[in-house]
Amino acid sequence: MSDVNFSSVYHVHDICDREQISIEKFLKACKKLGYDKIVFCEHCPWPIDSTFYDRKVSLKQLSTFKKEIIAKAAKMKIQVVVGAEIENVRLNNSFFRDVVNNPVFDFAILGQHFYFSNVVTENKTVPWTQFVSENEKVYNNFKKYKNKLTYKLMKVYARDLERAFKLDIYSWFAHPDIWTESYPYPDKKALWLTKKIIALAEKYQVPLGFNVARCSEHSWDGSCCPSKFFWLQVAKHPNIKVLLESDAHRIKELNPLMFRKAYQIACKWGLKHNIVVEVPLKYFHRTFYRTLNRSDLKQVAEFETEFKQYGYQPEQITKMFNDQNYRIIGAYNQEQLIGYAIISVSDAIDILKIFVVKKFRNRNVGTNLLTYITEEYPNKKILVEVNVKNLVAINFYLKNKFRKLNIRKQYYGEDDAQVMERGKGLTLRVFDK
Protein backbone atom coordinates (compact mmCIF):
# COMPACT_ATOMS: atom_id res chain seq x y z
CA MET A 1 0.00 0.00 0.00
CA SER A 2 2.88 2.39 0.63
CA ASP A 3 3.68 2.60 -3.09
CA VAL A 4 0.18 3.85 -4.03
CA ASN A 5 -0.14 7.62 -4.18
CA PHE A 6 -3.66 9.01 -3.78
CA SER A 7 -2.81 12.63 -4.55
CA SER A 8 -5.43 12.91 -7.30
CA VAL A 9 -9.16 12.45 -6.89
CA TYR A 10 -11.39 11.64 -9.86
CA HIS A 11 -15.14 12.04 -10.37
CA VAL A 12 -15.98 14.74 -7.83
CA HIS A 13 -19.33 16.50 -7.98
CA ASP A 14 -20.01 20.11 -6.98
CA ILE A 15 -19.68 19.59 -3.25
CA CYS A 16 -19.64 23.34 -2.65
CA ASP A 17 -23.21 23.68 -3.92
CA ARG A 18 -24.46 20.48 -2.29
CA GLU A 19 -23.05 21.26 1.17
CA GLN A 20 -23.40 25.04 0.85
CA ILE A 21 -19.76 25.77 1.61
CA SER A 22 -17.37 28.24 0.03
CA ILE A 23 -14.89 27.22 -2.66
CA GLU A 24 -12.05 28.32 -0.36
CA LYS A 25 -13.23 25.99 2.41
CA PHE A 26 -13.58 23.10 -0.02
CA LEU A 27 -10.09 23.62 -1.49
CA LYS A 28 -8.52 23.91 1.97
CA ALA A 29 -10.16 20.60 2.92
CA CYS A 30 -8.78 18.95 -0.22
CA LYS A 31 -5.31 20.36 0.46
CA LYS A 32 -5.40 19.07 4.00
CA LEU A 33 -6.36 15.62 2.70
CA GLY A 34 -3.28 15.66 0.45
CA TYR A 35 -4.85 16.20 -2.97
CA ASP A 36 -3.07 18.25 -5.63
CA LYS A 37 -5.43 17.40 -8.51
CA ILE A 38 -9.24 17.42 -8.46
CA VAL A 39 -11.19 16.09 -11.42
CA PHE A 40 -14.81 17.24 -11.36
CA CYS A 41 -17.46 15.31 -13.30
CA GLU A 42 -20.74 17.19 -13.03
CA HIS A 43 -24.00 15.93 -14.49
CA CYS A 44 -24.38 17.92 -17.68
CA PRO A 45 -27.61 19.69 -18.66
CA TRP A 46 -29.99 17.27 -20.32
CA PRO A 47 -32.27 18.60 -23.07
CA ILE A 48 -35.20 16.28 -22.41
CA ASP A 49 -37.76 16.10 -19.62
CA SER A 50 -37.37 13.41 -17.00
CA THR A 51 -39.25 12.64 -13.82
CA PHE A 52 -36.05 11.46 -12.15
CA TYR A 53 -33.21 13.42 -13.70
CA ASP A 54 -33.40 16.51 -11.47
CA ARG A 55 -29.65 17.06 -11.03
CA LYS A 56 -29.28 19.55 -13.85
CA VAL A 57 -26.75 22.34 -13.55
CA SER A 58 -26.84 25.05 -16.19
CA LEU A 59 -23.82 25.67 -18.41
CA LYS A 60 -23.73 29.24 -17.14
CA GLN A 61 -23.48 28.02 -13.53
CA LEU A 62 -20.77 25.52 -14.46
CA SER A 63 -18.80 28.15 -16.38
CA THR A 64 -18.86 30.54 -13.42
CA PHE A 65 -17.92 27.76 -11.00
CA LYS A 66 -15.07 26.55 -13.23
CA LYS A 67 -13.48 29.99 -13.62
CA GLU A 68 -13.68 30.71 -9.91
CA ILE A 69 -12.39 27.39 -8.62
CA ILE A 70 -9.53 27.17 -11.14
CA ALA A 71 -8.33 30.65 -10.22
CA LYS A 72 -8.47 29.96 -6.48
CA ALA A 73 -7.02 26.46 -6.80
CA ALA A 74 -4.02 27.77 -8.73
CA LYS A 75 -3.06 29.95 -5.75
CA MET A 76 -3.04 26.81 -3.60
CA LYS A 77 -1.12 24.81 -6.25
CA ILE A 78 -4.06 22.49 -6.89
CA GLN A 79 -4.89 21.45 -10.44
CA VAL A 80 -8.58 21.43 -11.32
CA VAL A 81 -10.23 19.80 -14.35
CA VAL A 82 -13.95 19.94 -15.08
CA GLY A 83 -15.73 17.26 -17.07
CA ALA A 84 -19.29 16.23 -17.89
CA GLU A 85 -20.95 13.05 -16.71
CA ILE A 86 -23.32 12.14 -19.52
CA GLU A 87 -26.35 9.92 -19.78
CA ASN A 88 -26.13 8.58 -23.32
CA VAL A 89 -29.78 9.04 -24.26
CA ARG A 90 -30.99 8.67 -27.83
CA LEU A 91 -30.51 12.21 -29.01
CA ASN A 92 -29.08 13.68 -32.17
CA ASN A 93 -25.32 13.20 -32.21
CA SER A 94 -24.80 16.97 -32.27
CA PHE A 95 -25.83 17.17 -28.62
CA PHE A 96 -22.96 14.95 -27.49
CA ARG A 97 -20.52 16.61 -29.85
CA ASP A 98 -21.50 20.06 -28.57
CA VAL A 99 -21.03 18.94 -24.96
CA VAL A 100 -17.54 17.58 -25.61
CA ASN A 101 -16.53 20.64 -27.64
CA ASN A 102 -18.03 23.11 -25.16
CA PRO A 103 -15.22 25.04 -23.41
CA VAL A 104 -16.99 24.55 -20.08
CA PHE A 105 -16.00 20.88 -20.15
CA ASP A 106 -12.47 19.55 -20.47
CA PHE A 107 -13.69 16.00 -21.14
CA ALA A 108 -16.70 13.71 -20.74
CA ILE A 109 -17.38 10.43 -18.96
CA LEU A 110 -20.23 7.98 -19.44
CA GLY A 111 -22.51 7.59 -16.43
CA GLN A 112 -25.37 5.37 -17.55
CA HIS A 113 -27.73 5.46 -14.55
CA PHE A 114 -30.86 5.05 -16.62
CA TYR A 115 -32.47 2.71 -19.07
CA PHE A 116 -34.63 4.06 -21.88
CA SER A 117 -37.35 1.64 -22.85
CA ASN A 118 -41.07 1.10 -23.16
CA VAL A 119 -40.76 -2.46 -21.86
CA VAL A 120 -42.44 -1.67 -18.55
CA THR A 121 -42.26 2.11 -18.36
CA GLU A 122 -44.34 3.45 -21.29
CA ASN A 123 -41.40 5.43 -22.69
CA LYS A 124 -40.63 7.10 -19.39
CA THR A 125 -37.03 7.57 -18.34
CA VAL A 126 -36.32 5.57 -15.19
CA PRO A 127 -33.16 5.08 -13.13
CA TRP A 128 -31.70 1.60 -13.01
CA THR A 129 -31.43 1.95 -9.27
CA GLN A 130 -35.13 2.78 -8.84
CA PHE A 131 -37.04 0.83 -11.43
CA VAL A 132 -38.09 -1.89 -8.97
CA SER A 133 -39.53 0.54 -6.44
CA GLU A 134 -41.04 2.88 -9.06
CA ASN A 135 -42.85 0.16 -11.00
CA GLU A 136 -45.52 -1.35 -8.76
CA LYS A 137 -46.18 -4.37 -10.95
CA VAL A 138 -42.54 -5.39 -10.97
CA TYR A 139 -42.07 -4.44 -7.32
CA ASN A 140 -44.94 -6.55 -6.05
CA ASN A 141 -44.05 -9.53 -8.23
CA PHE A 142 -40.30 -9.15 -8.46
CA LYS A 143 -39.50 -12.84 -8.14
CA LYS A 144 -41.97 -13.56 -10.91
CA TYR A 145 -40.88 -10.80 -13.29
CA LYS A 146 -37.16 -10.41 -12.61
CA ASN A 147 -36.10 -13.07 -15.10
CA LYS A 148 -38.48 -11.93 -17.84
CA LEU A 149 -38.71 -8.14 -17.72
CA THR A 150 -35.31 -7.39 -16.26
CA TYR A 151 -33.55 -9.37 -18.97
CA LYS A 152 -35.38 -7.33 -21.61
CA LEU A 153 -34.15 -4.19 -19.90
CA MET A 154 -30.63 -5.60 -19.75
CA LYS A 155 -30.67 -5.96 -23.51
CA VAL A 156 -31.90 -2.39 -23.90
CA TYR A 157 -29.19 -1.21 -21.53
CA ALA A 158 -26.53 -3.12 -23.48
CA ARG A 159 -27.76 -1.63 -26.74
CA ASP A 160 -27.61 1.90 -25.30
CA LEU A 161 -24.08 1.25 -24.06
CA GLU A 162 -22.94 0.05 -27.46
CA ARG A 163 -24.25 3.24 -29.04
CA ALA A 164 -22.42 5.26 -26.41
CA PHE A 165 -19.09 3.48 -26.85
CA LYS A 166 -19.28 3.90 -30.64
CA LEU A 167 -19.20 7.66 -30.19
CA ASP A 168 -15.69 7.25 -28.78
CA ILE A 169 -15.89 10.47 -26.76
CA TYR A 170 -15.91 9.17 -23.19
CA SER A 171 -12.73 9.15 -21.12
CA TRP A 172 -14.00 6.38 -18.87
CA PHE A 173 -17.21 4.54 -17.98
CA ALA A 174 -18.27 5.44 -14.45
CA HIS A 175 -19.69 2.78 -12.11
CA PRO A 176 -20.21 0.24 -14.94
CA ASP A 177 -21.78 -2.18 -12.47
CA ILE A 178 -24.53 0.16 -11.20
CA TRP A 179 -27.14 -2.06 -12.84
CA THR A 180 -26.39 -4.74 -10.22
CA GLU A 181 -28.30 -2.61 -7.69
CA SER A 182 -31.52 -3.66 -9.38
CA TYR A 183 -30.33 -7.09 -10.47
CA PRO A 184 -28.01 -8.45 -7.77
CA TYR A 185 -28.28 -12.02 -9.02
CA PRO A 186 -25.03 -13.73 -10.17
CA ASP A 187 -26.74 -15.77 -12.86
CA LYS A 188 -26.32 -16.33 -16.61
CA LYS A 189 -28.15 -13.11 -17.48
CA ALA A 190 -25.89 -11.03 -15.26
CA LEU A 191 -22.87 -12.79 -16.72
CA TRP A 192 -24.08 -11.99 -20.25
CA LEU A 193 -24.35 -8.24 -19.51
CA THR A 194 -21.02 -8.24 -17.65
CA LYS A 195 -19.24 -9.84 -20.59
CA LYS A 196 -20.92 -7.39 -22.97
CA ILE A 197 -19.54 -4.43 -21.00
CA ILE A 198 -16.07 -6.03 -20.83
CA ALA A 199 -16.08 -6.60 -24.59
CA LEU A 200 -16.99 -2.95 -25.25
CA ALA A 201 -14.31 -1.70 -22.85
CA GLU A 202 -11.71 -3.85 -24.60
CA LYS A 203 -12.76 -2.93 -28.11
CA TYR A 204 -12.86 0.82 -27.51
CA GLN A 205 -10.11 0.90 -24.85
CA VAL A 206 -12.29 2.72 -22.35
CA PRO A 207 -11.28 2.42 -18.66
CA LEU A 208 -13.91 1.31 -16.15
CA GLY A 209 -14.54 3.23 -12.94
CA PHE A 210 -14.38 1.43 -9.58
CA ASN A 211 -16.71 3.38 -7.27
CA VAL A 212 -14.91 4.34 -4.07
CA ALA A 213 -17.77 6.18 -2.32
CA ARG A 214 -20.10 3.20 -2.38
CA CYS A 215 -17.51 0.93 -0.74
CA SER A 216 -18.00 2.95 2.44
CA GLU A 217 -21.75 2.49 2.75
CA HIS A 218 -22.76 0.39 5.74
CA SER A 219 -25.18 -1.71 3.69
CA TRP A 220 -22.60 -2.55 1.05
CA ASP A 221 -21.59 -6.21 0.98
CA GLY A 222 -20.20 -6.69 -2.52
CA SER A 223 -23.46 -7.99 -3.97
CA CYS A 224 -24.13 -4.69 -5.76
CA CYS A 225 -22.09 -1.68 -6.92
CA PRO A 226 -19.17 -2.26 -6.56
CA SER A 227 -20.21 -5.79 -7.45
CA LYS A 228 -17.83 -8.60 -6.58
CA PHE A 229 -19.41 -10.75 -9.28
CA PHE A 230 -18.83 -8.07 -11.94
CA TRP A 231 -15.25 -7.18 -11.01
CA LEU A 232 -14.11 -10.80 -10.70
CA GLN A 233 -14.95 -11.11 -14.39
CA VAL A 234 -13.08 -7.89 -15.24
CA ALA A 235 -10.02 -9.21 -13.39
CA LYS A 236 -9.73 -11.92 -16.06
CA HIS A 237 -8.86 -9.16 -18.56
CA PRO A 238 -5.65 -7.46 -17.37
CA ASN A 239 -5.61 -5.16 -20.43
CA ILE A 240 -8.69 -3.30 -19.15
CA LYS A 241 -7.78 -0.27 -17.04
CA VAL A 242 -9.74 0.23 -13.84
CA LEU A 243 -9.76 3.76 -12.41
CA LEU A 244 -10.42 4.26 -8.72
CA GLU A 245 -13.05 7.01 -8.96
CA SER A 246 -14.44 8.82 -5.96
CA ASP A 247 -17.94 9.78 -7.17
CA ALA A 248 -17.93 12.07 -4.13
CA HIS A 249 -21.00 14.16 -3.40
CA ARG A 250 -19.86 15.14 0.11
CA ILE A 251 -16.52 16.13 1.63
CA LYS A 252 -16.42 13.07 3.88
CA GLU A 253 -16.34 10.91 0.74
CA LEU A 254 -12.93 12.37 -0.16
CA ASN A 255 -11.24 10.70 2.79
CA PRO A 256 -8.05 8.94 1.54
CA LEU A 257 -8.84 6.06 3.89
CA MET A 258 -11.80 5.26 1.67
CA PHE A 259 -9.49 5.03 -1.34
CA ARG A 260 -7.19 2.68 0.53
CA LYS A 261 -10.14 0.51 1.54
CA ALA A 262 -11.40 0.44 -2.05
CA TYR A 263 -7.89 -0.38 -3.29
CA GLN A 264 -7.65 -3.30 -0.85
CA ILE A 265 -11.04 -4.62 -1.94
CA ALA A 266 -10.17 -4.29 -5.63
CA CYS A 267 -6.84 -6.10 -5.11
CA LYS A 268 -8.63 -8.84 -3.19
CA TRP A 269 -10.85 -9.32 -6.22
CA GLY A 270 -7.83 -9.72 -8.51
CA LEU A 271 -7.72 -6.19 -9.96
CA LYS A 272 -4.25 -5.16 -8.78
CA HIS A 273 -2.81 -5.19 -12.31
CA ASN A 274 -5.84 -3.38 -13.75
CA ILE A 275 -5.90 -0.47 -11.34
CA VAL A 276 -4.73 3.02 -12.22
CA VAL A 277 -4.83 5.87 -9.72
CA GLU A 278 -3.47 8.57 -12.04
CA VAL A 279 -4.50 9.48 -15.59
CA PRO A 280 -2.46 11.97 -17.67
CA LEU A 281 -4.69 14.85 -18.75
CA LYS A 282 -3.86 14.34 -22.43
CA TYR A 283 -5.72 11.01 -22.28
CA PHE A 284 -8.95 12.62 -21.11
CA HIS A 285 -10.06 13.72 -24.56
CA ARG A 286 -11.16 10.89 -26.78
CA THR A 287 -12.51 11.43 -30.29
CA PHE A 288 -14.05 14.79 -31.19
CA TYR A 289 -14.79 16.53 -34.47
CA ARG A 290 -14.18 20.09 -35.64
CA THR A 291 -12.92 22.18 -38.56
CA LEU A 292 -9.30 21.36 -39.26
CA ASN A 293 -6.50 23.48 -37.82
CA ARG A 294 -3.95 24.95 -40.22
CA SER A 295 -1.24 23.14 -38.28
CA ASP A 296 -2.78 19.80 -39.36
CA LEU A 297 -2.49 20.43 -43.11
CA LYS A 298 0.92 18.76 -43.27
CA GLN A 299 -0.52 15.63 -41.65
CA VAL A 300 -3.39 15.57 -44.16
CA ALA A 301 -0.88 15.82 -47.01
CA GLU A 302 0.98 12.80 -45.59
CA PHE A 303 -2.24 10.80 -45.36
CA GLU A 304 -3.12 11.74 -48.94
CA THR A 305 0.01 9.96 -50.23
CA GLU A 306 -1.81 6.68 -49.45
CA PHE A 307 -4.18 7.45 -52.34
CA LYS A 308 -1.28 7.65 -54.82
CA GLN A 309 -2.46 9.26 -58.08
CA TYR A 310 -5.89 10.00 -56.59
CA GLY A 311 -4.53 11.86 -53.56
CA TYR A 312 -4.48 15.64 -53.21
CA GLN A 313 -1.17 17.46 -53.45
CA PRO A 314 -0.06 19.70 -50.53
CA GLU A 315 -0.73 22.87 -52.54
CA GLN A 316 -4.25 21.64 -53.39
CA ILE A 317 -4.99 20.97 -49.71
CA THR A 318 -3.77 24.43 -48.70
CA LYS A 319 -5.85 26.04 -51.46
CA MET A 320 -9.01 24.24 -50.33
CA PHE A 321 -8.30 25.15 -46.70
CA ASN A 322 -8.17 28.86 -47.65
CA ASP A 323 -11.23 28.71 -49.94
CA GLN A 324 -14.60 29.35 -48.25
CA ASN A 325 -16.26 27.02 -50.77
CA TYR A 326 -14.42 24.07 -49.21
CA ARG A 327 -14.22 22.65 -45.70
CA ILE A 328 -11.92 20.11 -44.12
CA ILE A 329 -13.39 18.52 -40.98
CA GLY A 330 -11.04 16.65 -38.69
CA ALA A 331 -11.55 13.76 -36.27
CA TYR A 332 -9.20 13.96 -33.29
CA ASN A 333 -8.31 11.38 -30.70
CA GLN A 334 -6.20 12.54 -27.75
CA GLU A 335 -5.41 15.67 -29.78
CA GLN A 336 -4.05 13.63 -32.72
CA LEU A 337 -5.67 13.79 -36.17
CA ILE A 338 -7.09 10.34 -36.94
CA GLY A 339 -9.36 11.12 -39.87
CA TYR A 340 -10.91 13.87 -41.95
CA ALA A 341 -13.58 14.73 -44.48
CA ILE A 342 -13.06 17.13 -47.39
CA ILE A 343 -16.22 18.69 -48.83
CA SER A 344 -17.14 21.39 -51.33
CA VAL A 345 -20.03 23.68 -50.41
CA SER A 346 -22.43 25.17 -52.97
CA ASP A 347 -26.10 24.50 -53.66
CA ALA A 348 -25.29 20.93 -52.62
CA ILE A 349 -22.54 19.35 -50.55
CA ASP A 350 -20.06 17.25 -52.49
CA ILE A 351 -18.02 14.84 -50.37
CA LEU A 352 -14.57 14.73 -51.94
CA LYS A 353 -12.90 12.49 -49.38
CA ILE A 354 -13.52 10.70 -46.10
CA PHE A 355 -10.40 9.13 -44.62
CA VAL A 356 -9.83 7.32 -41.32
CA VAL A 357 -6.49 6.06 -40.02
CA LYS A 358 -6.42 2.25 -40.22
CA LYS A 359 -6.11 1.79 -36.45
CA PHE A 360 -9.40 3.66 -35.90
CA ARG A 361 -11.49 2.07 -38.64
CA ASN A 362 -14.65 0.18 -37.70
CA ARG A 363 -15.09 2.48 -34.72
CA ASN A 364 -17.75 4.77 -36.23
CA VAL A 365 -15.29 7.60 -36.96
CA GLY A 366 -16.34 7.75 -40.62
CA THR A 367 -20.02 7.69 -39.67
CA ASN A 368 -19.49 10.47 -37.15
CA LEU A 369 -17.69 12.61 -39.74
CA LEU A 370 -20.66 12.07 -42.04
CA THR A 371 -23.03 12.90 -39.19
CA TYR A 372 -21.14 16.13 -38.58
CA ILE A 373 -21.66 17.11 -42.23
CA THR A 374 -25.40 16.28 -42.27
CA GLU A 375 -25.96 18.27 -39.09
CA GLU A 376 -23.97 21.27 -40.32
CA TYR A 377 -25.93 21.35 -43.59
CA PRO A 378 -29.38 19.88 -42.87
CA ASN A 379 -31.06 21.71 -45.75
CA LYS A 380 -28.64 20.70 -48.50
CA LYS A 381 -28.52 17.47 -50.42
CA ILE A 382 -25.21 15.62 -50.29
CA LEU A 383 -23.44 13.99 -53.24
CA VAL A 384 -20.50 11.61 -53.39
CA GLU A 385 -18.68 9.68 -56.13
CA VAL A 386 -17.34 6.22 -55.31
CA ASN A 387 -15.32 3.81 -57.41
CA VAL A 388 -17.75 1.09 -58.54
CA LYS A 389 -15.22 -1.50 -57.37
CA ASN A 390 -15.14 -0.05 -53.86
CA LEU A 391 -18.04 -2.07 -52.47
CA VAL A 392 -17.10 -1.29 -48.86
CA ALA A 393 -17.54 2.46 -49.47
CA ILE A 394 -20.73 1.97 -51.47
CA ASN A 395 -22.26 -0.12 -48.68
CA PHE A 396 -21.12 2.47 -46.12
CA TYR A 397 -23.06 5.22 -47.89
CA LEU A 398 -26.09 3.01 -48.52
CA LYS A 399 -26.18 2.22 -44.81
CA ASN A 400 -26.14 5.94 -44.09
CA LYS A 401 -29.22 6.74 -46.20
CA PHE A 402 -27.59 7.51 -49.55
CA ARG A 403 -29.10 6.17 -52.76
CA LYS A 404 -27.48 5.29 -56.06
CA LEU A 405 -28.01 8.06 -58.61
CA ASN A 406 -26.06 7.33 -61.81
CA ILE A 407 -22.75 6.12 -63.21
CA ARG A 408 -19.90 8.33 -64.43
CA LYS A 409 -17.88 6.47 -67.00
CA GLN A 410 -14.09 6.23 -66.53
CA TYR A 411 -14.14 8.75 -63.68
CA TYR A 412 -11.24 6.96 -61.99
CA GLY A 413 -9.03 6.28 -64.99
CA GLU A 414 -10.43 3.09 -66.47
CA ASP A 415 -12.86 2.60 -63.57
CA ASP A 416 -16.37 4.05 -63.43
CA ALA A 417 -17.76 6.05 -60.51
CA GLN A 418 -21.03 5.39 -58.73
CA VAL A 419 -22.71 8.74 -57.98
CA MET A 420 -24.72 8.63 -54.76
CA GLU A 421 -27.09 11.15 -53.24
CA ARG A 422 -28.59 11.87 -49.87
CA GLY A 423 -31.67 14.09 -49.77
CA LYS A 424 -31.80 17.30 -47.77
CA GLY A 425 -33.57 17.38 -44.44
CA LEU A 426 -32.34 13.93 -43.43
CA THR A 427 -30.35 13.94 -40.21
CA LEU A 428 -28.11 11.03 -39.39
CA ARG A 429 -28.05 9.49 -35.94
CA VAL A 430 -25.30 7.23 -34.83
CA PHE A 431 -27.99 5.51 -32.75
CA ASP A 432 -30.16 4.42 -35.66
CA LYS A 433 -30.75 0.67 -35.86
Side-chain angles (χ1 to χ4, degrees):
M1 290 295 297
S2 60
D3 61 335
V4 180
N5 180 20
F6 296 104
S7 60
S8 301
V9 57
Y10 295 85
H11 196 167
V12 179
H13 291 274
D14 186 1
I15 293 173
C16 302
D17 180 64
R18 284 173 169 80
E19 296 200 344
Q20 294 297 299
I21 61 173
S22 67
I23 288 177
E24 291 87 349
K25 185 175 180 180
F26 168 74
L27 290 172
K28 286 179 180 178
C30 289
K31 194 70 175 178
K32 188 176 180 180
L33 291 169
Y35 297 119
D36 54 29
K37 183 166 76 175
I38 306 168
V39 179
F40 287 94
C41 299
E42 193 53 79
H43 296 281
C44 77
W46 201 7
I48 65 174
D49 293 329
S50 169
T51 307
F52 302 98
Y53 198 82
D54 59 354
R55 294 167 289 181
K56 298 179 182 179
V57 180
S58 72
L59 288 176
K60 186 176 180 180
Q61 288 174 302
L62 283 170
S63 180
T64 302
F65 169 76
K66 181 179 179 180
K67 290 177 181 177
E68 187 176 356
I69 196 167
I70 286 178
K72 292 179 178 179
K75 295 178 181 178
M76 301 175 65
K77 297 183 178 180
I78 298 176
Q79 187 178 19
V80 169
V81 187
V82 178
E85 182 176 359
I86 296 178
E87 304 289 334
N88 205 96
V89 295
R90 294 173 201 173
L91 299 171
N92 193 290
N93 192 38
S94 62
F95 167 72
F96 301 103
R97 188 190 70 214
D98 290 345
V99 167
V100 174
N101 290 336
N102 194 302
V104 172
F105 299 116
D106 299 308
F107 66 100
I109 67 171
L110 178 63
Q112 201 78 351
H113 301 79
F114 300 78
Y115 64 79
F116 309 90
S117 170
N118 61 358
V119 176
V120 292
T121 61
E122 299 179 352
N123 288 317
K124 294 179 181 178
T125 303
V126 184
W128 265 97
T129 55
Q130 295 184 26
F131 96 83
V132 175
S133 58
E134 296 296 340
N135 188 282
E136 185 177 355
K137 183 177 181 181
V138 179
Y139 179 73
N140 292 332
N141 302 278
F142 189 63
K143 288 184 178 179
K144 178 180 177 181
Y145 284 97
K146 74 179 180 67
N147 288 327
K148 182 178 179 182
L149 295 180
T150 309
Y151 185 47
K152 289 183 179 180
L153 296 177
M154 280 182 174
K155 290 191 287 186
V156 172
Y157 186 75
R159 188 176 64 203
D160 287 342
L161 286 181
E162 188 157 9
R163 289 168 175 150
F165 275 80
K166 282 182 178 179
L167 285 174
D168 203 26
I169 61 174
Y170 300 113
S171 298
W172 73 85
F173 180 17
H175 36 64
D177 50 340
I178 196 168
W179 54 273
T180 61
E181 296 195 355
S182 52
Y183 197 87
Y185 305 100
D187 58 15
K188 291 181 179 179
K189 298 176 179 63
L191 182 61
W192 172 83
L193 183 53
T194 297
K195 288 185 175 181
K196 182 71 174 177
I197 293 171
I198 289 171
L200 289 170
E202 284 189 310
K203 180 177 179 180
Y204 294 97
Q205 298 178 353
V206 175
L208 302 178
F210 190 93
N211 197 293
V212 172
R214 290 172 183 264
C215 287
S216 67
E217 295 180 5
H218 296 299
S219 60
W220 178 79
D221 60 1
S223 63
C224 59
C225 181
S227 163
K228 181 178 180 180
F229 172 81
F230 178 90
W231 291 108
L232 284 175
Q233 294 299 319
V234 175
K236 297 176 182 178
H237 302 263
N239 56 319
I240 294 180
K241 290 183 173 61
V242 174
L243 175 67
L244 290 183
E245 57 168 354
S246 172
D247 197 12
H249 292 73
R250 298 179 293 275
I251 284 183
K252 67 178 184 179
E253 292 171 344
L254 295 174
N255 191 329
L257 293 177
M258 292 173 58
F259 281 85
R260 296 190 179 280
K261 177 182 177 181
Y263 179 80
Q264 289 175 332
I265 292 169
C267 289
K268 187 177 180 180
W269 292 348
L271 294 166
K272 184 174 183 178
H273 298 294
N274 300 81
I275 291 175
V276 292
V277 296
E278 181 68 37
V279 180
L281 296 185
K282 69 177 182 178
Y283 291 118
F284 277 14
H285 281 297
R286 295 190 67 80
T287 304
F288 60 97
Y289 305 82
R290 57 170 167 75
T291 299
L292 203 75
N293 288 333
R294 182 176 293 275
S295 59
D296 294 318
L297 293 181
K298 183 178 179 181
Q299 182 68 69
V300 172
E302 290 179 8
F303 288 144
E304 283 295 309
T305 61
E306 295 188 23
F307 296 95
K308 299 179 181 179
Q309 70 265 37
Y310 301 115
Y312 291 109
Q313 297 300 312
E315 57 271 17
Q316 291 177 296
I317 297 168
T318 301
K319 184 177 180 180
M320 287 188 290
F321 181 83
N322 293 324
D323 190 332
Q324 64 179 2
N325 294 317
Y326 293 86
R327 282 190 68 186
I328 307 177
I329 300 153
Y332 296 83
N333 182 273
Q334 297 173 11
E335 301 180 1
Q336 296 296 315
L337 183 68
I338 63 166
Y340 55 88
I342 303 175
I343 62 174
S344 65
V345 182
S346 57
D347 293 336
I349 302 299
D350 195 354
I351 298 176
L352 306 177
K353 183 73 62 70
I354 288 183
F355 170 79
V356 179
V357 174
K358 188 174 182 179
K359 177 182 176 182
F360 290 90
R361 290 171 191 169
N362 299 315
R363 290 175 59 169
N364 256 48
V365 177
T367 299
N368 289 335
L369 282 166
L370 195 55
T371 302
Y372 188 105
I373 296 167
T374 63
E375 291 171 352
E376 288 287 299
Y377 304 99
N379 297 317
K380 290 181 181 289
K381 66 180 180 181
I382 303 173
L383 298 168
V384 64
E385 296 89 15
V386 183
N387 192 312
V388 292
K389 294 180 179 179
N390 191 347
L391 298 181
V392 173
I394 290 173
N395 288 331
F396 167 77
Y397 287 110
L398 288 173
K399 180 182 177 182
N400 287 295
K401 302 180 182 178
F402 281 74
R403 66 183 182 91
K404 293 180 179 180
L405 198 60
N406 53 51
I407 297 290
R408 289 184 180 172
K409 294 292 185 180
Q410 297 181 329
Y411 188 80
Y412 296 103
E414 296 182 357
D415 294 338
D416 299 338
Q418 174 67 65
V419 182
M420 306 183 73
E421 178 190 51
R422 180 182 168 81
K424 59 185 178 180
L426 293 174
T427 303
L428 274 175
R429 292 191 181 194
V430 80
F431 319 113
D432 288 344
K433 292 183 180 178

